[in-house]
Amino acid sequence: MRAAQIDRFGGPEELHVVTDAPTPTPGQGEVLVRVLAAGVNPLDYKIRDGSSGLAAKLTADGFPLILGRECCGVIEQVGPGVSDFAVGTRVFGMAPLSHRGECYAEFVALPASALAPAPASVDPQVLAGTALVGLTAWVAVHDLARVTADDTVLVHGGAGGVGQVVVQLCVAAGARVYATASTAKRSRIEEMGAIHVDYTQADFTQVTPRPDVIIDGVYFSTYEPSMDHLAEGGRLVILPSLADLEPARARGINVAVPTISPDRERLAALATELEQGRLTIALDRVFPLTEAAAAHRLVEEGHTQGKVVLEVAND
Ligand SMILES: NC(=O)c1ccc[n+]([C@@H]2O[C@H](COP(=O)([O-])OP(=O)(O)OC[C@H]3O[C@@H](n4cnc5c(N)ncnc54)[C@H](OP(=O)(O)O)[C@@H]3O)[C@@H](O)[C@H]2O)c1
């Protein structure tokens, strides 16, 4: 099968397409998915260059490693122990953290529990980019920050992959939401019901009230001023997993980083929100599988609006 893989850790040039990768066999509890599209996430380039804590674990059995943690596709084969999915069902979802994933490919074997049925009315390319950002935002907003209508929330990177879902979940919870993003992303932020804070023109600490909650998808340049700006007793959720939480803890700030595991019930809830138009996932750009390295370069620059997706096959 065709697949985009690495033979060692390194730059985007290490990501190359082969045509003779072995088609996986679904194991216990798994299904084989014929991939229509795969989502590209910052985690993917951190695995590709070896900087993610996951990189060593995923390659413990060696290279090559096909990249990609999430997809939308059609069930091609049902593995042993799976009784709740049938061949031909369109599904979307993501690999659990300990799973090799390998979604940048024509076929991937994934646990059935990590997938949910895909609504027919939602574009498979949108669904391919929904699971990882959707579940992360859900955990950040509802499980960790516990955002309510009484909260003022500041979201850093509000038009990014995760940020766009965080903003929409906070607005849906009734919160007053400020979202930082560069100048060109103003209309997207406002369309989602938030107040745009152009971080290229203004210091967010000067133009926003002290928030009860900060959800930070940026971290490096925003962490220190966010700790200073957060309201007394406020909650801070930082998205990048490599974040050092000690400085915030030392100041007595309630701080957390989301850890996600795929969950069919939550995936199904996200699908319903998309289907009924209460949630939108914007796509920045769709690349063919053959241009996976270019997709990584774009995501690595860190200024996309919404998701980057690889198209693997037509339905
Ligand atoms: N813990 C987890 O389970 C988990 C899950 C998913 C993602 N993450 C992490 O969360 C981070 C965000 O992920 P993502 O998928 O949303 O990334 P993304 O799609 O690349 O979005 C990043 C966004 O941040 C904006 N940005 C860049 N610098 C900024 C700044 N100084 N201030 C405000 N906005 C800025 C960018 O656009 P503009 O600069 O043009 O506004 C872009 O829209 C990544 O580090 C990722 O690895 C963690």
Side-chain angles (χ1 to χ4, degrees):
M1 65 172 187
R2 287 184 305 130
Q5 64 184 38
I6 53 170
D7 299 330
R8 60 185 174 191
F9 296 130
E13 68 284 354
E14 295 297 339
L15 186 52
H16 60 282
V17 175
V18 297
T19 54
D20 59 353
T23 301
T25 304
Q28 182 71 28
E30 291 187 336
V31 294
L32 183 69
V33 177
R34 179 169 59 81
V35 178
L36 299 173
V40 180
N41 291 285
L43 177 60
D44 299 357
Y45 72 71
K46 295 173 190 176
I47 291 171
R48 189 208 68 224
D49 68 16
S51 63
S52 164
L54 267 187
K57 290 180 198 144
L58 296 178
T59 52
D61 294 335
F63 290 98
L65 176 68
I66 298 168
L67 297 185
R69 311 293 308 162
E70 63 176 352
C71 68
C72 176
V74 179
I75 294 184
E76 181 81 8
Q77 193 187 332
V78 172
V82 178
S83 55
D84 49 2
F85 271 135
V87 169
T89 305
R90 191 190 282 186
V91 292
F92 77 106
M94 62 171 284
L97 284 186
S98 56
H99 194 283
R100 275 171 70 102
E102 309 199 302
C103 292
Y104 295 0
E106 277 181 281
F107 296 96
V108 61
L110 289 171
S113 59
L115 300 167
S121 63
V122 183
D123 184 344
Q125 294 176 349
V126 168
L127 288 165
T130 293
L132 200 140
V133 298
L135 294 175
T136 304
W138 196 297
V139 170
V141 172
H142 295 309
D143 297 352
L144 299 176
R146 297 179 183 274
V147 172
T148 73
D150 295 331
D151 290 320
T152 296
V153 182
L154 173 64
V155 183
H156 288 305
V162 185
Q164 61 177 338
V165 189
V166 167
V167 166
Q168 291 174 77
L169 295 182
C170 291
V171 168
R176 182 169 176 78
V177 183
Y178 293 82
T180 63
S182 58
T183 315
K185 296 182 169 77
R186 177 180 184 149
S187 57
R188 175 62 176 151
I189 296 289
E190 290 181 348
E191 162 195 303
M192 295 188 292
I195 299 154
H196 178 230
V197 179
D198 184 348
Y199 75 89
T200 68
Q201 302 296 320
D203 174 349
F204 70 85
T205 66
Q206 302 302 309
V207 296
T208 60
R210 296 186 72 192
D212 306 295
V213 172
I214 297 181
I215 300 182
D216 186 356
V218 177
Y219 177 61
F220 288 107
S221 55
T222 48
Y223 188 30
E224 287 287 336
S226 290
M227 287 191 285
D228 293 339
H229 193 48
L230 190 66
E232 193 71 31
R235 292 95 79 198
L236 175 60
V237 178
I238 300 174
L239 301 181
S241 305
L242 52 64
D244 177 6
L245 304 187
E246 280 318 310
R249 287 189 178 133
R251 292 172 62 161
I253 293 172
N254 175 343
V255 64
V257 170
T259 306
I260 53 164
S261 58
D263 161 343
R264 186 180 299 169
E265 210 172 300
R266 284 187 170 182
L267 288 171
L270 287 164
T272 302
E273 295 300 293
L274 284 169
E275 192 177 22
Q276 300 189 352
R278 290 192 294 265
L279 174 68
T280 57
I281 304 269
L283 299 184
D284 184 289
R285 202 156 151 200
V286 179
F287 289 86
L289 181 65
T290 47
E291 292 177 25
H296 270 221
R297 286 189 185 93
L298 181 64
V299 171
E300 216 162 339
E301 283 168 12
H303 298 288
T304 47
Q305 175 167 307
K307 291 287 305 188
V308 171
V309 165
L310 298 177
E311 182 181 35
V312 180
N314 291 318
D315 202 359

